[in-house]
Structure formats: C-alpha cells, structure tokens
Amino acid sequence: MRIGELAERTGVSVRALRYYEEQGLLTSERSESGQRRYAGNAVDRVRLIQQLYGAGISSASILEMLPCVLSGVAAPDVLAKLHGHRSSVVRQIEELQETLLRLDSVIAGATKAYATGKPCPPQ
C-alpha cells in the first residue's frame, strides 16, 4: 500500500510515517517511480509504534524492542527495559485512576450544587 493509504488506515500523518522510516521503525520498498510501498503488516506495526509512543517510550527504545516483539525473543537487557517501561505504564494508569476519582468527586459536587442551587463547598 502507498503512504497515503497507510496514513489513512492508521490515522497517522504522512509526516509521522516518514519519521518512523528515518528512525528505522518502519520500512518500505520503492516503486520504479520512487513511491513508498508498504507491506500489509505495516498497519499493525504503525499501531504498535503509536501505542508505545503513547506510553511514553522513546523511538530509540522502540527500535530496540521491535525485534523482540516481532520474534518473541529478547536479550536480557531488552527484557529489563520492557519491564521498566511496563512499570512506568502501570504508574501512569494508577495516576490516571486517581485523577478519575477526583474528577468524579468534582462532577458529583457540581451536579449536587446545580440541582440544589447551593454552591459547591471548597475542597
């Protein structure tokens, strides 16, 4: 598939896809006219890259992880990094859960204040 189709199917900009190639995260072949052509599995790979970026993992770390993800085999140092990143994601989830609880409390207070006409108590 061409770069525009990959961008459309993944929701990732053409510019980002080019960046992924520059970083060695994604590969393409060139047609005779020089257009990029991606394999069918590129959609899944781009989605994985996006998930890892979303978890705060750098492109250099993603590049180290991809062979492990694709082969299922990891060197001890890569495995340690994977565990470290996992711990980071767990911390992010816990922080977001705390934020959600606080937000729910604010919403409940604001809803009660709206229904009763009484201002929210300060928190």
Side-chain angles (χ1 to χ4, degrees):
M1 82 187 76
R2 293 175 24 185
I3 194 166
E5 182 182 352
L6 182 58
E8 185 176 315
R9 290 179 62 186
T10 60
V12 175
S13 71
V14 168
R15 182 176 178 183
L17 295 174
R18 288 185 184 125
Y19 174 77
Y20 295 170
E21 280 196 62
E22 289 171 13
Q23 298 302 306
L25 302 174
L26 185 64
T27 58
S28 67
E29 295 196 11
R30 297 288 182 141
S31 68
E32 288 182 19
S33 62
Q35 293 181 331
R36 290 175 168 89
R37 296 279 183 190
Y38 297 93
N41 66 349
V43 171
D44 289 335
R45 188 172 183 128
V46 169
R47 288 184 179 146
L48 172 63
I49 292 166
Q50 284 295 107
Q51 288 175 323
L52 295 172
Y53 270 134
I57 300 172
S58 70
S59 58
S61 291
I62 293 171
L63 187 59
E64 284 182 295
M65 291 179 202
L66 281 176
C68 168
V69 171
L70 299 174
S71 71
V73 177
D77 60 324
V78 173
L79 194 54
K81 283 187 178 186
L82 287 168
H83 282 291
H85 288 302
R86 185 187 186 286
S87 295
S88 175
V89 170
V90 168
R91 280 192 302 279
Q92 290 174 7
I93 290 169
E94 290 168 351
E95 290 170 4
L96 285 171
Q97 287 174 330
E98 288 178 23
T99 301
L100 183 59
L101 289 173
R102 288 182 180 169
L103 182 58
D104 286 344
S105 176
V106 170
I107 291 169
T111 301
K112 183 177 179 182
Y114 178 76
T116 64
K118 296 180 184 177
C120 298
Q123 294 196 12

